[in-house]
Amino acid sequence: MQRRSVLKLFAAGAALGTHATNAWSQAATAAGRAGAATASASPSTSTSTSASTSASAGGYASKPIRLIVPYPPGGVTDVAGRLASEILGSRFGQPVVVENRPGANGMIGNQHVAAAAPDGYTLLLNGLGGMVLPTATVTGLPLDTARAFTPIGEMAEFINVLIVRADSPIRSVNDLLALARQRSKEGLSYGSNGIGTSVHLTTAFFAQRTGVHLLHVPYKGSSEMLVDVINGNLDFSFSNLPPVQGLLRKGSLRAIAVTSSYRSQQLPDVPTMAEQGLADFDVTSWLGLYGPAGMAPALVQTLSSALQDGMATPKARETLSAAGFEPKGSTAAAFAELNRAELVRWKQVAERANISLKFGT
């Protein structure tokens, strides 16, 4: 398949699944202007409101709520953000205005929410790629995401998929490992959408678990990387599921494993890594709702309960499933523990793989 024709497959959803994994090295310039951008930007906004009866936690909510999505419109975080807007607007009877504040891999939007009052009227939709992985892989960050926010609840997760070109002789994890050991000197080549991204770290974790030597080829984004998998310039790659769903359906790529502990509802015939011999291999990306640090426990509980109830509806689950997500829903405590455990895990993987970036360079 020619490069141009393959790239056309990304036109309808090029932003989908790529924004949360842009390399930090590509975003440093924008981050340096974060203060000015936050003060002067005219962010993209949308509003959800409902006539439903308002819930209350000390009078909450008595005015419009702002929900910051720190990435451009149209990506996977934006899909979840607009669903969260509908859920909260319906529950509290107030407009919930979604503001897209992209830049510096989410840092501009993160800083805006971190500086807001912890009153529940400024919230954040973010996840693994913007809240955990930067802290695990980047030094000199302007914000400590582990301390600057209050986790409210998880909304969804999406799996990574181990992919090869359609005519690749690799048809299983064991095939891939056997070939990697045959070519141990030069290593099998794989791509990622940037250094320190979830795809990069997933593959580093895979190499650590199996002991194989792999050659990393970082790209500026998913589209170019996937083209090179299709054309045979890369031996394999992991990828977040949303960007490759169309290519898998078209037959341009073949999935040989999913990284979650369960089979994906979107790819029910594709076995897990654990089913193919890598016990306890469980890697997903995830998204959830946050507020600024210092929110009152009663307010956190009010928001978390509203989110959980909304996530339990068929509409919410269908919306997320259609976008490539596995719908979730969790308590604030469980979401806080997820953030903590994932930070510990990925810091260890990054340190063992010597994955480190300096913010601003």
Side-chain angles (χ1 to χ4, degrees):
M1 180 179 294
Q2 296 299 313
R3 177 179 293 267
R4 182 174 297 177
S5 64
V6 174
L7 285 173
K8 286 181 180 178
L9 296 174
F10 296 95
L16 190 62
T18 62
H19 57 76
T21 52
N22 287 333
W24 279 88
S25 57
Q26 302 298 319
T29 302
R33 298 194 296 267
T38 301
S40 63
S42 298
S44 173
T45 64
S46 70
T47 304
S48 176
T49 188
S50 171
S52 298
T53 302
S54 174
S56 175
Y60 186 86
S62 60
K63 62 181 181 180
I65 301 163
R66 298 167 64 228
L67 178 57
I68 307 302
V69 175
Y71 306 105
V76 291
T77 308
D78 198 51
V79 171
R82 289 168 201 282
L83 176 60
S85 170
E86 293 179 14
I87 289 171
L88 298 179
S90 176
R91 181 65 163 259
F92 299 118
Q94 290 288 345
V96 179
V97 182
V98 176
E99 295 185 12
N100 293 91
R101 288 181 174 264
N105 196 36
M107 186 55 67
I108 290 175
N110 284 359
Q111 288 179 299
H112 183 80
V113 176
D119 56 8
Y121 291 101
T122 304
L123 303 173
L124 175 71
L125 201 294
N126 211 333
L128 177 71
M131 302 296 277
V132 170
L133 298 188
T135 304
T137 61
V138 183
T139 61
L141 290 172
L143 187 67
D144 183 353
T145 55
R147 297 177 180 272
F149 299 98
T150 300
I152 294 171
E154 184 183 9
M155 286 188 68
E157 65 183 16
F158 50 95
I159 62 170
N160 288 332
V161 188
L162 179 54
I163 54 172
V164 295
R165 70 180 190 273
D167 62 349
S168 171
I170 301 171
R171 307 195 70 85
S172 68
V173 173
N174 286 335
D175 287 347
L176 190 151
L177 293 176
L179 186 59
R181 288 167 183 142
Q182 290 174 17
R183 292 167 48 182
S184 59
K185 192 170 184 178
E186 68 271 29
L188 294 186
S189 62
Y190 75 93
S192 78
N193 51 340
I195 297 172
T197 60
S198 65
V199 170
H200 185 198
L201 287 167
T202 297
T203 318
F205 180 55
F206 173 69
Q208 291 168 11
R209 284 288 308 272
T210 59
V212 296
H213 172 57
L214 302 172
L215 176 63
H216 179 217
V217 183
Y219 293 76
K220 293 182 180 180
S222 295
S223 297
E224 292 289 333
M225 181 267 287
L226 293 173
V227 168
D228 275 351
V229 176
I230 292 168
N231 290 339
N233 296 324
L234 296 171
D235 292 306
F236 77 100
S237 186
F238 287 93
S239 174
N240 300 140
L241 176 59
V244 298
Q245 286 190 101
L247 294 168
L248 292 171
R249 285 193 294 265
K250 188 178 178 66
S252 302
L253 292 169
R254 178 155 38 84
I256 63 174
V258 296
T259 62
S260 51
S261 61
Y262 53 86
R263 292 201 180 196
S264 167
Q265 61 180 325
Q266 289 87 6
L267 301 172
D269 296 328
V270 179
T272 67
M273 301 286 282
E275 287 178 296
Q276 299 186 65
L278 289 181
D280 301 322
F281 195 105
D282 183 13
V283 175
T284 61
S285 295
W286 40 265
L287 296 170
L289 190 66
Y290 299 83
M295 291 178 66
L299 177 56
V300 174
Q301 178 60 42
T302 295
L303 285 164
S304 181
S305 295
L307 189 64
Q308 290 178 74
D309 291 347
M311 288 301 304
T313 65
K315 179 183 177 182
R317 302 186 72 81
E318 290 167 7
T319 297
L320 292 174
S321 295
F325 290 107
E326 301 288 340
K328 290 290 188 179
S330 73
T331 64
F335 190 44
E337 175 57 23
L338 175 65
N339 279 261
R340 185 204 65 78
E342 289 281 78
L343 178 57
V344 170
R345 174 195 198 183
W346 293 116
K347 282 188 75 171
Q348 291 175 345
V349 171
E351 288 170 1
R352 288 184 62 188
N354 196 29
I355 299 171
S356 180
L357 296 167
K358 185 176 180 180
F359 189 78
T361 59

